Amino acid sequence: MTYRVCFVCTGNICRSPMAEAVFHARVADAGLDDLVEADSAGTDGWHEGEGADPRTVAVLAEHGYGLDHTARQFQQSWFSRLDLVVALDAGHLRTLRRLAPTERDAAKVRLLRSYDPAADSGDLDVPDPYYGGQDGFEDCLEMVEAAGTGLLAAVREQVEGRAA
């Protein structure tokens, strides 16, 4: 049975596609491609149908990540098919938990940086780089990568638990 993860930010052109690309690479490196699927979406539909922000694509490519992406808006009905919904900041977390049709679905929503043991527990947001310069996208990637190891470990534990 496939374990499904969806990364969610506001417009689905910067942070969440970046997290999706990094996680895809981690999953592939771990040999879990056939057991784990990941995608991304936005809490809002402002950029629906558009590709990722060119700065996101550039930073990912510079660090060896590929990305084929079309922005879309998260739908409440997706909760039933998802195992984990990863919010990129506290605002997304609140929005997604309000959108969740059940308590069980709300419990599927976690903050990405909660998987980074070195992150400041008082501020687990990945700041939105959209209105800033290239440095913001580099910082975003750094935070996403730092959380990736812990996220992969948590997902691997869930996947292996299903197989047992």
Side-chain angles (χ1 to χ4, degrees):
M1 183 172 203
T2 304
Y3 189 90
R4 291 180 174 82
V5 180
C6 186
F7 296 91
V8 182
C9 68
T10 306
N12 192 219
I13 60 169
C14 298
R15 295 173 283 178
S16 59
M18 188 178 286
E20 176 188 352
V22 170
F23 190 66
H24 272 294
R26 297 274 170 94
V27 165
D29 289 348
L32 299 173
D33 302 70
D34 50 345
L35 299 173
V36 179
E37 289 180 6
D39 57 21
S40 64
T43 56
D44 298 306
W46 302 328
H47 299 284
E48 206 161 10
E50 296 176 21
D53 186 293
R55 298 167 292 179
T56 297
V57 175
V59 166
L60 286 169
E62 185 178 306
H63 293 273
Y65 299 104
L67 177 65
D68 180 22
H69 177 74
T70 303
R72 61 199 185 131
Q73 185 174 6
F74 189 88
Q75 302 297 313
Q76 182 182 46
S77 62
W78 297 355
F79 275 105
S80 63
R81 67 173 177 82
L82 293 169
D83 297 290
L84 180 62
V85 180
V86 183
L88 276 287
D89 72 27
H92 307 132
L93 180 81
R94 286 188 299 275
T95 299
L96 290 162
R97 285 189 174 160
R98 276 194 310 269
L99 188 63
T102 68
E103 288 294 320
R104 184 171 181 229
D105 289 325
K108 295 177 184 179
V109 184
R110 298 279 310 271
L111 279 167
L112 176 66
R113 292 192 66 215
S114 69
Y115 294 99
D116 178 0
D120 174 5
S121 62
D123 181 15
L124 295 177
D125 289 355
V126 175
D128 188 350
Y130 185 77
Y131 294 105
Q134 194 69 18
D135 289 353
F137 287 82
E138 292 285 347
D139 292 346
C140 181
L141 179 60
E142 189 176 305
M143 290 179 194
V144 166
E145 288 179 325
T149 302
L151 175 58
L152 181 63
V155 168
R156 182 191 301 269
E157 184 177 306
Q158 291 296 314
V159 169
E160 289 172 354
R162 287 181 173 184

